[in-house]
Amino acid sequence: MSPLTFQWAIWLAGITLVVAVGALALARRDAGGGRESIPGPVPVPGTANGYYTGRAGPYSAADGTHTACGETFTAKLQGIAHPVLPCGVKIYVRFAGKEVLTQVVDRGPDVTGRDFAITKALADRLGLHGTQTIQWRYAR
């Protein structure tokens, strides 16, 4: 075997090894392997009925301005502002026996003691005035 043929054989063997290791890694990731499993159920903070609780209050802005999520603010805009949840995430908000499906439309709130800011239109729909405790959960 010539030296050039030997080098090509070694090079092909190396490539084959890299491809095989990559294929095994992908197969393991697809099978749920790549993550360490935590034994037993992990408790999730929230209420026993599957809802989280938070403090929320209404807010409004000048008509025609844009929210941090790109929505045009109008008197009819119904949504919530949250500092962490991604724009567009749909959640159910429950207050005073009413439950409404809404979504994150803005960043905030800018008021200490609030977890959410609720647009004035949504607050009116829920009957929420001032800072109140709400229940919320992710929509599925």
Side-chain angles (χ1 to χ4, degrees):
M1 184 183 292
S2 73
L4 187 57
T5 305
F6 182 73
Q7 286 178 342
W8 273 102
I10 295 293
W11 186 78
L12 287 174
I15 294 293
T16 303
L17 179 63
V18 168
V19 169
V21 168
L24 286 172
L26 285 174
R28 181 169 182 204
R29 186 185 76 186
D30 291 342
R35 298 182 193 136
E36 290 186 30
S37 60
I38 299 171
V42 177
V44 177
T47 62
N49 62 2
Y51 283 80
Y52 300 96
T53 59
R55 301 283 290 165
Y59 82 108
S60 61
D63 279 356
T65 59
H66 289 346
T67 69
C69 297
E71 299 277 339
T72 302
F73 208 98
T74 66
K76 295 180 180 180
L77 179 65
Q78 293 190 23
I80 62 166
H82 191 270
V84 177
L85 293 176
C87 294
V89 166
K90 295 188 184 310
I91 67 169
Y92 286 99
V93 174
R94 184 191 277 180
F95 178 75
K98 296 178 184 173
E99 183 176 72
V100 175
L101 176 64
T102 190
Q103 68 181 12
V104 175
V105 296
D106 204 358
R107 294 283 143 238
D110 296 328
V111 178
T112 303
R114 290 186 186 176
D115 302 304
F116 295 95
I118 297 180
T119 61
K120 178 81 169 93
L122 181 58
D124 289 344
R125 184 174 173 189
L126 289 167
L128 187 140
H129 304 286
T131 302
Q132 301 290 331
T133 299
I134 62 165
Q135 293 182 320
W136 68 276
R137 69 177 173 90
Y138 294 103
R140 294 180 190 219

